[in-house]
Amino acid sequence: MNLKHIYNFLILKNPLKVLFVFAFLGILAAYYSLNFELDASADSLVLENDESLNYYREISQRYGSDDFIVISFQPHADLFSEQSLATIRALRDGLLELENIESVNSILDMPIIYESGLNLSDLTGDLSTIDNNDIDKDLARKEFQSNPLYRELLLSLDGNTTAIQAMFKNDPEYYDLINKRQLFQEKNEELTSSELETLELLNNQIKEKNQLYSQQREEDIRRIRQIIKQQHNQGKLYLGGTPMITVDMIEFIRHDLIVFGTGVFLFLVLILSLFFQKVRWVVLPMLVCAVTCLMTIGFMGYVGWTITVISSNFLSILLIITLSLTIHLIVRYRDLQLQQPAATHRELIQSTMVSMGRPCFYTVLTTAVAFASLVVSEIRPVIDFGWIMVIGLGFAFVTSFTLMPAILSLLDDIEISTGRDITRNITLALAKQVHDRPIIIVFIASLLLLSLGIGITELKVENRFINNFKSDTEIYQGMMVIDNQLGGTMPLDIIIDADQSFIDMRDELATESNELDALFFDDVETLAEPSYWLNPEMLDKAKKVQEHLESYPVVGKVISLVTSISIVEKLNGTPFDEFELAVVRKRIPESIEADLITPYLSEDSNQIRFSLRVIESDPVLNRKALLTSIHDFLIDEMKFEEEQIHITGLMVLYNNMLQSLFRSQILTIGAVFAAILFMFIILFRNFQLALIAIVPNIFSAVLILGIMGWAGIPLDMM
């Protein structure tokens, strides 16, 4: 029994059984689709196995994460009026009532020390704040405008905008799981079966944590917005921060899946109605499309794949590709009706499926190979998108050649359409032009290829993240206020370690000290270790670094140990000498140290952190150029060693992804063309025909990329 007879027996002679199988699979897919998840976290926008991500997580654990939200407040009344302060107080207290909020920083709670006339010795006990003392409002305003730690962070330069920062509680267990997984991933030798099981368990636990985190943050952001809404009459209030952007991105994805998917669905219904003017030729293709999408979503829910910003458009593309398959079948059926008027309805269906099986299979196969080629990319959302489309195309082919003929065989015969075939007339008209004017067409195509193809050289990967959102969205408005008034939105950290010679010297001294202690001073504590950064020479070097960082127009607020020491020195009355710097941590209260020193200096005082905020909305921002310039300055001008310098933060992760796009795009397109050419050679068994067939693919790609280049459309994630 050949394939034709098997197909006829399984599908055309048993249509009810086919419908039963699809009904069962549909129920199963609907069940697993409940596990269908969306992901808009920062991890979904970074490179696969990006080492910068591991270092970013390490620094976040040491100095504090970016897991916080910022509420910018521009009151109608004076910012330091009782009315405005009462609004800030209500916002702060409302945030502190949330279970997942650890702390809140606002102008109400920060100590007034810079302009208060206090000495370093006075920093004991409870320090004065606006909320716990009757502080003169003019003094408070002067404090927040002059204190380098507060200026452009809690209060804008014009004194009209303030920020309320709420830190979310950290989950030590989550970071512990991440660290354990990283140890397995960094192992050079092959993992044992037990280690692979442990790694899989860790991945599942991390996934559960991420799901819980996503649900918690969505609820937190919803409640924070309710708190803000209660004060909306008092001034302009905008919510910002990575958690809010993540939650809103998920909502945007969810919205696009529903609205855009529905829009495409209705548009396709309209097109089918205009072209075929028969109910069955509208309902049947759309039913096949719907089942294909449901099966794909159910499969994704079953295997645990998540949808990101990139792969969220898979539904629309899958709808269009599935529809193209069903249209091929419909058109072929109608052609056979005209060619074989005596054939029965079942014979026409069988002939349609047999004649279109091979070309449709080859079409799906070459398309699937093209999407599978996306795995050469280093960007996780792009890789996922490729695999999702490969699976979806498989479902599209199977559904089109099983469900569609099964339903069609249960329907009555339909009369031959005698109406005007618009698509046939268009196709024949184009064919006539090709036959009559081949040289002109080749000339025009070559001219277009040359003129538009040059635009590829103008392609840029730089794009402002804010441009991904409409100007009326809260993300856009909040980022603009924070960028323009409160020191920038995109976090960037410069970490500089002690050089190796200092580390070796320190270790040698520690060894000698321990030996002497063991011999003569059993009851005496080991002498304090030398500090790399807490000395005048290195602190002066750090000042030069900070001044250089502040000189960039696209860099907003910069805070480091230099900022903290300048505040403490002002309280001291005179600059610190070498001895005073060495013991500065012991001279200030722990609460002040926690705010001024700990976030910018490691516990052993041998690693310094410069915390930058980059103005993401600045139209001249070039991330790669900025990072390269900072790196070159630290190496060439400041003479730090390469291994001492670490540039990290969300901006670095995002930039790594953007910069990989050019190389990834070249690899992806090259792999796609190579795969399609290979498929054509196999299908046509003729190298010349394969080359001719690949030309339209290359032509289309070059034209699109060229138009993007000339139009200034960046080659970003979208």
Side-chain angles (χ1 to χ4, degrees):
M1 183 180 292
N2 59 29
L3 191 62
K4 177 179 176 181
H5 289 103
I6 294 175
Y7 177 83
N8 186 53
F9 174 77
L10 292 178
I11 306 300
L12 300 183
K13 290 187 176 181
N14 297 283
L16 292 177
K17 292 181 180 179
V18 172
L19 293 182
F20 175 79
V21 170
F22 270 97
F24 173 76
L25 293 176
I27 293 172
L28 202 62
Y31 172 76
Y32 282 111
S33 67
L34 298 175
N35 299 326
F36 183 67
E37 298 173 0
L38 309 177
D39 183 12
S41 64
D43 290 3
S44 71
L45 299 176
V46 300
L47 296 181
E48 179 79 345
N49 300 321
D50 189 354
E51 293 183 1
S52 298
L53 178 59
N54 295 328
Y55 188 78
Y56 167 72
R57 284 172 173 158
E58 177 186 335
I59 293 301
S60 296
Q61 293 178 64
R62 186 177 305 166
Y63 295 110
S65 72
D66 297 316
D67 195 14
F68 61 84
I69 58 96
V70 175
I71 300 174
S72 63
F73 177 41
Q74 296 174 320
H76 297 314
D78 180 76
L79 182 59
F80 287 86
S81 67
E82 288 301 326
Q83 179 182 354
S84 299
L85 294 177
T87 301
I88 298 172
R89 189 173 295 110
L91 292 169
R92 180 202 60 187
D93 294 345
L95 292 171
L96 288 172
E97 289 178 1
L98 300 181
E99 180 183 355
N100 294 316
I101 295 296
E102 183 175 45
S103 62
V104 177
N105 294 325
S106 72
I107 61 174
L108 298 175
D109 314 287
M110 305 310 291
I112 308 298
I113 57 175
Y114 198 73
E115 298 291 342
S116 62
L118 295 174
N119 295 319
L120 193 58
S121 58
D122 298 326
L123 299 182
T124 57
D126 293 331
L127 297 173
S128 296
T129 67
I130 292 178
D131 229 22
N132 70 8
N133 261 310
D134 188 17
I135 296 292
D136 180 75
K137 299 303 185 292
D138 291 332
L139 175 64
R141 187 191 306 273
K142 187 177 181 182
E143 170 82 14
F144 286 102
Q145 287 182 324
S146 60
N147 189 320
L149 193 63
Y150 302 156
R151 186 177 60 243
E152 286 191 281
L153 195 66
L154 290 176
L155 187 68
S156 62
L157 291 178
D158 61 11
N160 295 325
T161 305
T162 187
I164 304 164
Q165 183 189 60
M167 299 294 301
F168 287 103
K169 293 178 181 178
N170 284 328
D171 185 355
E173 185 180 348
Y174 174 77
Y175 283 111
D176 184 53
L177 292 171
I178 291 291
N179 293 333
K180 289 180 180 178
R181 183 177 67 177
Q182 186 176 340
L183 292 176
F184 282 109
Q185 293 173 339
E186 290 176 349
K187 288 191 68 173
N188 294 325
E189 64 271 16
E190 187 176 347
L191 297 178
T192 64
S193 58
S194 62
E195 288 175 331
L196 288 173
E197 291 178 3
T198 303
L199 180 59
E200 183 178 359
L201 178 62
L202 287 172
N203 285 327
N204 291 333
Q205 290 175 326
I206 291 171
K207 182 180 177 181
E208 291 176 3
K209 285 282 186 182
N210 285 330
Q211 292 173 352
L212 180 61
Y213 168 87
S214 179
Q215 295 169 1
Q216 287 177 341
R217 287 297 172 267
E218 190 168 351
E219 176 62 19
D220 290 336
I221 296 302
R222 184 189 66 80
R223 294 181 64 184
I224 289 172
R225 285 194 163 118
Q226 289 179 345
I227 294 170
I228 293 174
K229 188 176 181 180
Q230 294 172 3
Q231 306 297 328
H232 75 279
N233 291 328
Q234 302 302 318
K236 294 181 179 179
L237 288 156
Y238 298 107
L239 182 62
T242 303
M244 182 274 284
I245 293 176
T246 300
V247 169
D248 279 8
M249 290 279 280
I250 291 176
E251 184 57 35
F252 292 157
I253 295 172
R254 188 180 293 122
H255 176 271
D256 287 348
L257 282 171
I258 296 173
V259 175
F260 191 59
T262 303
V264 171
F265 193 90
L266 294 176
F267 177 76
L268 296 179
V269 169
L270 177 63
I271 294 299
L272 289 172
S273 301
L274 291 175
F275 283 168
F276 297 121
Q277 300 176 2
K278 297 291 183 182
V279 173
R280 72 168 54 183
W281 299 138
V282 175
V283 174
L284 194 52
M286 299 316 299
L287 178 62
V288 172
C289 289
V291 171
T292 299
C293 291
L294 177 62
M295 300 280 283
T296 305
I297 292 173
F299 179 82
M300 292 172 63
Y302 173 73
V303 299
W305 284 353
T306 57
I307 287 296
T308 64
V309 177
I310 299 305
S311 51
S312 62
N313 60 9
F314 85 96
L315 272 181
S316 301
I317 298 178
L318 194 57
L319 277 172
I320 294 169
I321 294 177
T322 307
L323 185 69
S324 69
L325 292 176
T326 59
I327 287 178
H328 285 315
L329 299 179
I330 294 171
V331 171
R332 182 57 178 164
Y333 178 89
R334 285 155 57 95
D335 283 344
L336 289 174
Q337 272 189 312
L338 294 173
Q339 297 170 13
Q340 304 173 17
T344 64
H345 180 52
R346 184 180 295 274
E347 290 173 343
L348 289 175
I349 296 174
Q350 180 177 331
S351 298
T352 298
M353 300 302 157
V354 170
S355 61
M356 294 303 297
R358 179 175 293 182
C360 284
F361 175 75
Y362 290 158
T363 299
V364 169
L365 186 60
T366 52
T367 308
V369 168
F371 276 113
S373 301
L374 296 178
V375 300
V376 303
S377 170
E378 295 179 342
I379 304 171
R380 168 49 55 186
V382 175
I383 297 171
D384 289 345
F385 178 60
W387 286 123
I388 289 169
M389 288 307 304
V390 169
I391 299 299
L393 284 167
F395 285 131
F397 179 78
V398 172
T399 307
S400 298
F401 279 83
T402 55
L403 180 61
M404 184 171 177
I407 296 177
L408 195 58
S409 64
L410 294 174
L411 300 177
D412 296 332
D413 192 5
I414 188 171
E415 70 277 6
I416 299 175
S417 176
T418 57
R420 186 181 181 186
D421 193 335
I422 301 174
T423 56
R424 181 181 180 86
N425 293 336
I426 293 174
T427 304
L428 291 175
L430 290 174
K432 187 175 187 304
Q433 294 298 321
V434 171
H435 183 270
D436 295 343
R437 300 176 176 83
I439 297 178
I440 295 177
I441 291 174
V442 171
F443 174 77
I444 294 174
S446 301
L447 191 62
L448 282 173
L449 196 65
L450 180 63
S451 59
L452 293 179
I454 295 175
I456 294 178
T457 61
E458 301 296 322
L459 270 176
K460 295 180 176 60
V461 297
E462 282 294 336
N463 185 32
R464 298 191 301 165
F465 183 73
I466 196 173
N467 286 345
N468 294 321
F469 310 99
K470 293 181 179 180
S471 59
D472 60 349
T473 60
E474 188 175 15
I475 292 179
Y476 185 98
Q477 294 172 349
M479 289 182 70
M480 288 299 293
V481 171
I482 296 173
D483 265 354
N484 296 328
Q485 302 289 332
L486 297 169
T489 53
M490 184 64 75
L492 177 65
D493 286 343
I494 312 297
I495 308 294
I496 307 179
D497 295 324
D499 63 42
Q500 190 58 45
S501 61
F502 176 86
I503 299 296
D504 294 340
M505 181 269 292
R506 182 200 62 183
D507 293 342
E508 184 178 344
L509 287 176
T511 302
E512 293 175 357
S513 176
N514 289 336
E515 290 174 353
L516 288 173
D517 287 345
L519 287 173
F520 303 108
F521 306 105
D522 292 341
D523 298 327
V524 179
E525 292 185 1
T526 304
L527 295 176
E529 291 184 348
S531 168
Y532 185 78
W533 287 105
L534 288 178
N535 66 80
E537 180 185 355
M538 294 311 299
L539 191 60
D540 184 62
K541 207 170 183 179
K543 288 178 182 178
K544 293 178 181 178
V545 172
Q546 177 146 334
E547 289 171 358
H548 178 78
L549 296 175
E550 291 173 339
S551 69
Y552 291 102
V554 296
V555 172
K557 187 67 176 175
V558 181
I559 305 177
S560 73
L561 179 67
V562 175
T563 311
S564 304
I565 293 297
S566 69
I567 295 174
V568 180
E569 284 183 335
K570 185 178 189 300
L571 297 173
N572 188 53
T574 58
F576 290 133
D577 58 28
E578 186 169 358
F579 175 76
E580 289 174 319
L581 274 175
V583 297
V584 67
R585 280 185 143 164
K586 297 181 179 180
R587 294 189 59 190
I588 60 177
E590 291 184 3
S591 59
I592 298 298
E593 181 188 358
D595 291 331
L596 292 183
I597 307 297
T598 304
Y600 312 107
L601 189 67
S602 62
E603 187 176 352
D604 61 5
S605 302
N606 294 326
Q607 183 185 76
I608 193 173
R609 169 182 176 244
F610 295 85
S611 175
L612 287 69
R613 294 290 185 87
V614 177
I615 303 173
E616 176 69 23
S617 61
D618 195 316
V620 301
L621 173 63
N622 185 311
R623 297 177 186 84
K624 182 181 179 182
L626 174 63
L627 296 175
T628 301
S629 176
I630 293 174
H631 176 271
D632 292 346
F633 171 79
L634 296 175
I635 296 291
D636 301 334
E637 299 295 328
M638 301 307 299
K639 306 303 180 183
F640 290 111
E641 298 297 329
E642 183 74 38
E643 60 270 14
Q644 288 182 259
I645 300 168
H646 305 277
I647 304 179
T648 186
L650 286 178
M651 177 177 162
V652 173
L653 301 178
Y654 189 58
N655 178 73
N656 288 351
M657 180 274 299
L658 287 177
Q659 297 307 321
S660 74
L661 279 174
F662 259 128
R663 186 171 67 88
S664 177
Q665 192 70 57
I666 292 171
L667 285 174
T668 301
I669 291 180
V672 167
F673 287 153
I676 294 177
L677 180 61
F678 179 72
M679 294 298 302
F680 283 162
I681 292 173
I682 294 177
L683 299 181
F684 300 140
R685 295 181 176 84
N686 186 303
F687 185 72
Q688 186 177 3
L689 283 178
L691 287 178
I692 294 174
I694 199 70
V695 169
N697 295 274
I698 297 176
F699 184 79
S700 300
V702 170
L703 254 60
I704 291 298
L705 292 175
I707 291 172
M708 288 176 63
W710 285 123
I713 301 173
L715 187 64
D716 62 2
M717 283 285 285
M718 308 309 165

